[in-house]
Amino acid sequence: MQILQVVLQVLLGISSLLLTLLILLHRGRGGGLSDMFGGGVTSNLGSSGVAERNLNRLTVVLGLVWVSAIVLLGLITKFEAGV
């Protein structure tokens, strides 16, 4: 069970970093914090509709992996403690 816990912690760390990167890659919709930090500058990366949809899909899938890793780590911790 210890190996599974270490694997899940590594998966959680990697998915956290990648999720942060993917969220920052999204195009700002305007009017929020993205405008304050230079989000008003147009970018060629988000100009394609297909690229934006694929970025959205990848972000959602990675978010689900992140949540699953957190839930599984919580369950492992709970059952190891015997509560």
Side-chain angles (χ1 to χ4, degrees):
M1 197 60 95
Q2 190 72 12
I3 294 173
L4 179 63
Q5 191 171 9
V6 169
V7 169
L8 283 173
Q9 287 175 348
V10 169
L11 180 68
L12 181 64
I14 291 171
S15 64
S16 295
L17 291 174
L18 288 175
L19 194 58
T20 302
L21 176 72
L22 288 177
I23 289 172
L24 288 174
L25 282 176
H26 277 84
R27 184 174 29 177
R29 300 286 183 229
L33 285 176
S34 63
D35 282 342
M36 185 174 17
F37 296 114
V41 178
T42 58
S43 170
N44 290 334
L45 180 63
S47 62
S48 171
V50 175
E52 188 72 23
R53 278 195 302 266
N54 288 336
L55 186 61
N56 288 339
R57 289 179 187 145
L58 190 58
T59 305
V60 168
V61 168
L62 198 58
L64 291 174
V65 168
W66 185 77
V67 168
S68 300
I70 289 175
V71 169
L72 288 174
L73 277 171
L75 288 174
I76 289 172
T77 304
K78 179 180 179 180
F79 288 123
E80 277 185 354
V83 176

